[in-house]
Amino acid sequence: MTLPSAENPVQPMLAKAVTSVPEPDSVEGGLRYEPKWDGFRGLVYFDGTDVEIGSRGSKMLTRYFPELVAAFAEQLPGPCVLDGEIIVRRPTDDTGDNAPGERLDWEALSQRIHPAASRVEQLSVATPAAFVAFDLLRFEDRDLTDLPFDDRRAALETLAESLADPLFLSQTTLDVDEARRWLEQFEGAGLDGVVAKPRTAPYAPGKRTMLKAKHHRTADVVAIGYRVHKSGSGVGSLLLGLFDGDEVRQVGGVSAFSDVRRQELVAELEPLVVRDADGRPVVGQGERSRFSSGRDTTFVPLRPERVLEVRYDQMEGDRFRHTVQFERWRPDRFASSCTFDQLEVPAAYDLGRVLQ
């Protein structure tokens, strides 16, 4: 038997989306629930001396989180492989009935992936990361992946007795009503939803055997531009905006149109294309980030007049946290009515209470 290790990495077990927190008896053997953390998935390999941190896609993250490497080496009681989430916390003055407190900070976490060693070291002090463990795949010389999740969880709880900040054990519950409260309450701390795990199932690398319930909301937004599809023809994605007074601010994008629909949208949006004094389409330049790399960020600006409804899960600052999904066009709405006021803001909640 070959044990999971940095030399023999494991593909993380995945989750498929469901519309609501499922009943415990909806899966044979029952379900155990836990918060869905909004960070970087991390597989931690510790051989007793050295630490490696792998990502969901098997990219090594070790060099970006030296403070976690030090914590793992100091606190872990023996060679092991942990599955969990890397997060960054930030203080907040608004936590409802328990201020001040903390919430997750995705922007600070994303900044941690930096090519310069000096910057990595600086950020490890300025915005230190934490790790939330939710599964144990190996301990000492024993492979635990074939064990039921309840057994792996029991072994993880024993191991976690030696852990302290910045290493945490994720909460779990067998109570579906409590899990549904988590879905609502924990969003205020920046969490992403609730995960339901089959209690009797082994660890299934690369398989979507877990279930995830996330937040979904709708908003009416304005089409403010489009990017040409990577094929060179048709609309690849629409750029979305909301009015802030008289100003329109970009808040995200929507894509996933069919081949036929991409071509239709070019013709439909043609009357809204912004043109210069000679009648030629103006070319807009989008924002660049470390994630865009060499990707073409130019776009065709549109007059902010056409309204569409989209589904989204949560906001990060004044932008949609993830790519949103197209619902329908809203010809009944005036563009100027599409403001930030319509967005649902979750009640604040202290992240510290989730990490307890």
Side-chain angles (χ1 to χ4, degrees), residues 47-348:
D47 64 6
T49 302
D50 296 322
V51 175
E52 293 289 351
I53 306 173
S55 71
R56 173 173 168 171
S58 298
K59 175 182 178 180
M60 284 299 165
L61 301 175
T62 315
R63 67 176 296 267
Y64 303 114
F65 299 100
E67 74 278 28
L68 290 183
V69 171
F72 288 127
E74 178 183 355
Q75 296 188 34
L76 291 176
C80 61
V81 176
L82 292 170
D83 189 1
E85 199 92 356
I86 300 169
I87 61 172
V88 167
R89 299 167 286 171
R90 65 171 170 83
T92 176
D93 294 330
D94 181 13
T95 56
D97 61 351
N98 191 30
E102 295 179 320
R103 64 172 286 122
L104 297 180
D105 191 337
W106 170 262
E107 288 301 320
L109 177 62
S110 65
Q111 295 295 321
R112 294 298 305 271
I113 309 302
H114 199 282
S118 58
R119 181 61 173 162
V120 168
E121 186 63 32
Q122 181 186 38
L123 291 173
S124 72
V125 176
T127 55
F131 181 82
V132 183
F134 46 66
D135 214 330
L136 179 62
L137 312 188
R138 168 190 171 180
F139 186 68
E140 300 289 358
D141 59 354
R142 187 182 182 196
D143 185 344
L144 307 180
T145 55
D146 287 337
L147 294 180
F149 175 56
D150 272 0
D151 292 352
R152 301 197 309 273
R153 173 69 190 192
L156 177 60
E157 289 175 356
T158 299
L159 178 146
E161 292 173 0
S162 66
L163 303 185
D165 192 346
L167 308 183
F168 298 91
L169 173 67
S170 185
Q171 295 188 52
T172 69
T173 183
L174 301 178
D175 184 343
V176 67
D177 291 329
E178 182 175 18
R180 287 167 179 158
R181 286 194 296 272
W182 286 357
L183 183 65
E184 301 304 322
Q185 292 180 332
F186 289 1
E187 186 188 10
L191 276 78
D192 209 16
V194 168
V195 175
K197 297 183 176 181
R199 298 177 61 185
T200 60
Y203 194 89
K207 304 290 186 181
R208 294 189 180 275
T209 57
M210 304 183 293
L211 306 172
K212 60 182 179 183
K214 299 176 65 175
H215 306 278
H216 292 290
R217 302 174 173 85
T218 62
D220 293 328
V221 295
V222 185
I224 61 173
Y226 70 82
R227 290 196 174 98
V228 176
H229 189 259
K230 61 184 178 181
S231 65
S233 176
V235 171
S237 61
L238 288 174
L239 304 185
L240 310 176
L242 287 172
F243 276 84
D244 183 6
D246 294 331
E247 179 186 1
V248 180
R249 293 162 59 184
Q250 185 178 338
V251 293
V254 61
S255 55
F257 301 110
S258 69
D259 291 344
V260 172
R261 187 62 182 139
R262 285 199 293 267
Q263 302 302 326
E264 292 174 343
L265 283 172
V266 172
E268 289 180 20
L269 298 172
E270 173 63 23
L272 299 178
V273 172
V274 177
R275 299 179 180 277
D276 63 19
D278 296 323
R280 294 172 299 199
V282 173
V283 177
Q285 181 64 58
E287 301 173 352
R288 287 192 175 275
S289 71
R290 63 171 52 81
F291 302 109
S292 62
S293 185
R295 186 180 62 185
D296 182 9
T297 60
T298 59
F299 66 94
V300 178
L302 301 174
R303 296 197 309 276
E305 297 175 10
R306 193 166 189 189
V307 176
L308 60 152
E309 183 180 350
V310 297
R311 280 188 296 122
Y312 70 99
D313 48 18
Q314 59 180 301
M315 302 294 293
E316 181 71 29
D318 59 359
R319 298 176 71 94
F320 294 123
R321 168 71 175 79
H322 302 106
T323 301
V324 300
Q325 290 78 49
F326 177 87
E327 279 285 294
R328 55 181 174 167
W329 295 104
R330 291 297 303 267
D332 57 317
R333 291 291 303 268
F334 289 109
S336 58
S337 70
C338 299
T339 67
F340 285 88
D341 293 341
Q342 69 181 297
L343 301 179
E344 183 179 339
V345 178

Side-chain angles (χ1 to χ4, degrees), residues 3-24:
L3 295 173
S5 66
E7 291 72 35
N8 182 45
V10 180
Q11 283 190 312
M13 186 165 64
L14 304 175
K16 60 182 177 182
V18 293
T19 57
S20 61
V21 179
E23 292 289 340

